[in-house]
Amino acid sequence: MTPLALHGTGRATGFSEGSGRTLLRLRDPADTPSHAADAALIRSTDHAVMALLQGFDTFVAIGDSEPGSGANGRRVLLDNRFSHLTPGDILALDVPTNRVRVLWRSESNHNSFLVTERCDHFCLMCSQPPRNVDDGWIIDEIYECLPLIDPSTKSVGFTGGETLLAPDRFIPLLGAVGRLLPHAGVHVLTNGRAFSRAAVVRNWAALQHPDLWAGIPIYSAVDTIHDYVVQSRGAFDETVLGVLRMKDAGQRVEIRVVLHALTAPRLVETCTWLARNMPFVDHVALMGMEDTGFALANHAALWMDPLDYGPALTDGIAVLSEAGIRTSIYNLPLCVLPEGVRPWAVRSISDWKNDRPDVCSSCSAAGRCAGFFTTGKTKFSRGIQPIAEPVTFLGR
Amino acid sequence: MSRFQTIDAYAPLDGQLALMPIRFERLSPERVIVANTVGDILVLTQVEFERLIALDLRPGDGLYERATERLLVAREGARAPLQLLALRLRSRMAFLRDATALHILVVTLRCEHSCPYCQVSRRNTGAERYDMSEETALLALEVAMSSPAKAIKLEFQGGEPLLNFPLIAFAVEAATRMAEVKGKAVEFVIATNLALLDDKILTFCQNHHIHLSTSLDGPADLHNRNRPRPGGNSHALAAAGIQRVQEFLGRDRIGALMTTTDASLDRVEEIIEEYVRLGLDGIFLRPLSPYGFAMKTRWYDGYDSDRWLTFYERGLRHILDLNHRGIRFPEFYASLLLQRILTDQPIGYVDLRSPAGIGIGALVYNYDGKVFASDEGRMLAEMGDQTFELGTLGKTDYASLVTSERLIDLVGGTLSQTSPECRSCAYEAHCGADPVYHHATQGDAVGIKPLSGFCSRQKGILRILIETLERGGRDAAVLRSWVSR
């Protein structure tokens, strides 16, 4: 179980002196290049020849050695870990260092842009520990990337760090997303604190985007617990105010509750509080923890076998459903869930970091299961076992 | 040294924790019910209660967490808890935005029944001067159509309104035309004993989507004792009428109300079973009100609120058991209260709200053109007390009726949010002001609540419901299932 390679080092030749970061959009060698960023994806000499005939001047080859074509032009060689790349994918190449990052995978439904590594939270279970670096260039790169994406794209996500640390830069970017990818649902992960400021919500709402979501974590109805989990005093107060302002402005909000030993013991109370105080939120996601990043450092304090919070999950979902709140379970394999709540489970783990261990080979429900994170060191529940009978999903 | 802080770093500072506005009530020497301003409830032991009041709470002790989640305590300076309370209160009070959605036309005071508990002081069938005229009906409709509510309900009352059916037909057709011009939705209800129901009336009801509301006090002997008419066949006619309406118009188009008399007290199960037998979709267990013949005949004095509560609790038990057997059958008054306990939906039920529903929730147009602030207000007027009379049709309009000094005094002076006893009552968020009842029984629209039968019944029922919810299990599940969202 290893995640797909989304970054690594390649070998770039033919790029002009002084080139810095360069975006490359992979194309089938039989296509005709239509943009300066277009690069033919070649796996054989035949491909290379075809690409040359089609007029490509940039080539991305995958394999141990470059297929000889005699072509000049810009060339990048990536090793076989990148064999998953397909036409439509977008790469960022840093020419001086030969570092390659995959920004967009056309076959994925989970494409998500990292907006910044900076964050004003320091969550105990953060899967993407923040770094205090000046990375404002990332937004520029996303601007550059957007016109290269297939305009019929159905979904795009934004994550961090904290995406809204610089709302004056980020919200206009969302405007560009709406214009360039008009069919895409847009999901932004944010701690929501920026929304406690009226101007931020005003600008967000002014986008008038038809399918824009803010996914905001609330880990507990108890201020102290939430503040402790995110390691920031006053966080709960600002986040709740942010959610209220967003809903007052008619914006879509998803509440995200990550379940671990600090949050799961009061899950029913948290759900009850959501049902009474925020029945107007658009979705609640009850989420298994990704055992990577800080979650590993704090494993002793955070680990709780999902089997042990199963009953709370059952009651919590009953409370939310009774209040008419749309609810899903993310990141948890079906076998560790009480049968009654399995219909709420969603295959939420991004495809590039999702796999299943050997024990699942005989499971009849694998096709509907969230699977497992391949990042970090996934700790397995003692409830992991193949589901023998076909799972019947009665209507929710 | 860890990069992470311990939970203590995020606890409230000394003296930072504060009590939110709360109300409480002792359930027993050992248990106290505590509520916030929107009616979130926590049942505490005496020791926990004392710790809450003294703010002797720390993260991790369990009580801090429970009190925080129920918005009973918050940190000084925190804005979110106050915003949550404010927006929830705004939602609960949003019924005020749709002023006067209910308009009652008393189309006649005549009735062919002679119920000793009649609260409207009916007149004999021959006395046609107690009928409403077309001219009066049109004036009433004009006022109704100028109320702000976008969706209004027109209810035809009596006496027995079917004795003046031609006027109902006239008013329904006129109202339909006027509503279309005004862009209002209008619903019609006839409150009738069904004795005079015929095919012509049924067809009319079908064509105009009219809902029927009738009276059914229980099995035949009890019903006929409570509701005498020539022939002694009130029950047979009501039962046959209910079935005809169900077949002709549909099950959802007929509801029945029962009135509890002294003779009902030991028979609540039989009464409920009669409702189930007739295919009615629930029951409203309702006490007698202190108006009309019920006072003259002293039937009202037949039982006190304790005996009524025993009746209610026994009835609720029977109803819960019915539901456990798979028959979905709510007690409607409980449903109403549960909606308020378990949600923040604006429930503008005119008899149970604060500000009171008089005038701003409902207006009553009497057969003679007098306008009253509530149905009970016109009942009092028939007894010679004009307190709730707001004006006369033709000499007034909607705005002057609802902004009359008399009405403003009555509504503003009886807010449960500020009235003695009510303002500190744990059940305030789920209760309401009843100025007509307290005026009638105590000569004062606010009233002394410890002496009020309304108050003791309210507290009794709310306590039964809250304790059942607290106990959890399948009874609580049934109660929760009665709430519509």
Side-chain angles (χ1 to χ4, degrees), chain B residues 23 354 414-429 431-434 438 446-447 449-450 454-455 459:
Chain B
R23 306 180 175 113
S354 176
T414 57
L415 299 172
S416 62
Q417 291 88 343
T418 58
S419 292
E421 295 285 325
C422 297
R423 61 177 289 277
S424 58
C425 176
Y427 307 116
E428 191 279 329
C431 196
D434 195 340
H438 291 104
V446 175
K449 295 296 171 0
F454 166 83
C455 177
K459 284 193 180 200

Side-chain angles (χ1 to χ4, degrees), chain B residues 301-341:
Chain B
D301 300 326
Y303 54 86
D304 59 12
S305 45
D306 279 352
R307 287 184 68 201
W308 188 79
L309 278 169
T310 307
F311 167 85
Y312 183 86
E313 192 164 13
R314 231 177 88 182
L316 187 65
R317 177 70 266 152
H318 189 73
I319 290 169
L320 288 171
D321 290 338
L322 275 177
N323 283 271
H324 295 328
R325 294 207 303 272
I327 303 167
R328 192 193 136 78
F329 187 88
E331 198 284 305
F332 291 129
Y333 196 61
S335 302
L336 183 81
L337 293 172
L338 288 162
Q339 197 103 1
R340 293 177 51 161
I341 296 169

Side-chain angles (χ1 to χ4, degrees), chain A residues 250-273:
Chain A
Q251 301 304 299
R252 283 178 198 77
V253 173
E254 171 190 75
I255 300 297
R256 298 164 72 90
V257 187
V258 176
L259 303 172
H260 50 62
L262 301 175
T263 58
R266 298 197 76 76
L267 175 59
V268 182
E269 288 83 355
T270 304
C271 292
T272 305
W273 180 87

